Amino acid sequence: LCMMEKFEPVLTPEELKAKLPEWPYFIIDLYHWDRHTQKEKGKICLQVSQSYGLLRDYFTGRELAVTWANDEFKSMFHGPIGRITTYAGPTADFLKEKGIDEVVLLDPWAEEVLSEKDFDVGAFIIGGIVDTGGNKKKTTPKIGEELERAGIRVRRRKIVLKGDIVGVPDRINRILGIILKMMVEGKSMDEAVYEFQ
Ligand code: SAM
């Protein structure tokens, strides 16, 4: 049986580009930056760096955008700041500049589960939120409300393992990794989640 194991070729950048007519942005939204302790801010920075590393495996890294990126974030970020896209203003303004009017917001509180039908949007948004104190409950939906107020259409989608968000890692970089496994390698959600557990 193991001889029949699926061979998974890594796509060349050209093949990838053909598969995805326009590469989406993966946005880490720092709307809730000021609600974090210094230690948590450090963790956000680390997870952004790790997200860049993951994206580099598939894309160029530029597709990683960090919005609401203030001077404190830039000074605390030890990754290659010049190789990602940082935007100091609101996420909605960034999207409008890029001509994107509909996004997928990764949200553990969403009703609908992320599926391949969602892979046609111009941007995926992950909350730049780290939970250590338990004081940031339901902060992700607020990011969606803020975008909708600014006229962006938001598909709120959750990632689940066997139907439940329990068991899904909530680190920013792991959420990104799960999406990439599904989108680029065609893995099922359960398989992708297992790989990042
Ligand atoms: N405290 C936040 C809340 O209650 O909304 C959760 C923050 S979580 C540590 C960081 C980000 O990872 C979220 O903003 C969301 O974008 C993403 N995320 C975490 N778990 C997820 C899941 N099961 N499905 C979709 N997105 C998830």
Side-chain angles (χ1 to χ4, degrees):
L1 186 72
C2 58
M3 302 241 311
M4 290 167 64
E5 244 168 18
K6 218 170 71 194
F7 174 63
E8 288 167 61
V10 175
L11 299 181
T12 64
E14 291 71 32
E15 286 168 331
L16 247 184
K17 203 159 188 177
K19 200 169 159 181
L20 304 165
E22 273 183 49
W23 292 0
Y25 277 100
F26 298 90
I27 300 176
I28 299 177
D29 185 313
L30 300 186
Y31 181 64
H32 294 294
W33 176 259
D34 288 333
R35 298 178 63 142
H36 292 83
T37 62
Q38 291 311 109
K39 201 172 166 188
E40 287 173 329
K41 287 175 182 171
K43 289 190 177 180
I44 295 178
C45 290
L46 181 63
Q47 293 180 27
V48 173
S49 268
Q50 291 169 333
S51 299
Y52 169 75
L54 271 176
L55 257 182
R56 273 304 307 257
D57 291 345
Y58 303 97
F59 301 101
T60 69
R62 284 258 169 233
E63 302 75 19
L64 183 67
V66 180
T67 55
W68 298 100
N70 58 20
D71 289 341
E72 189 181 27
F73 165 76
K74 287 186 199 158
S75 69
M76 289 180 75
F77 183 68
H78 299 307
I81 197 91
R83 295 204 195 141
I84 63 175
T85 301
T86 54
Y87 189 82
T91 311
D93 290 357
F94 175 77
L95 293 168
K96 284 177 191 163
E97 279 181 23
K98 301 290 174 193
I100 298 170
D101 58 4
E102 185 169 25
V103 298
V104 164
L105 172 65
L106 280 303
D107 181 358
W109 301 94
E111 302 216 324
E112 276 191 57
V113 175
L114 178 73
S115 82
E116 35 181 71
K117 283 182 292 207
D118 299 314
F119 294 162
D120 59 344
V121 288
F124 293 86
I125 300 184
I126 300 174
I129 303 161
V130 161
D131 287 307
T132 47
N135 60 335
K136 296 180 210 75
K137 202 171 170 218
K138 288 221 172 175
T139 40
T140 309
K142 293 218 167 63
I143 293 176
E145 288 161 24
E146 182 68 19
L147 290 172
E148 278 170 349
R149 266 197 293 274
I152 305 286
R153 274 176 296 150
V154 180
R155 297 190 210 165
R156 292 174 56 204
R157 297 290 185 262
K158 63 181 169 185
I159 293 173
V160 293
L161 176 63
K162 297 189 190 299
D164 202 316
I165 61 163
V166 175
V168 178
D170 69 353
R171 287 176 64 111
I172 299 160
N173 53 303
R174 299 211 178 154
I175 292 294
L176 175 64
I178 292 166
I179 303 170
L180 291 173
K181 285 267 171 210
M182 292 174 64
M183 195 164 132
V184 184
E185 295 185 21
K187 299 229 161 137
S188 72
M189 184 174 278
D190 282 351
E191 275 179 300
V193 171
Y194 275 130
E195 290 195 27
F196 281 97
Q197 256 182 338

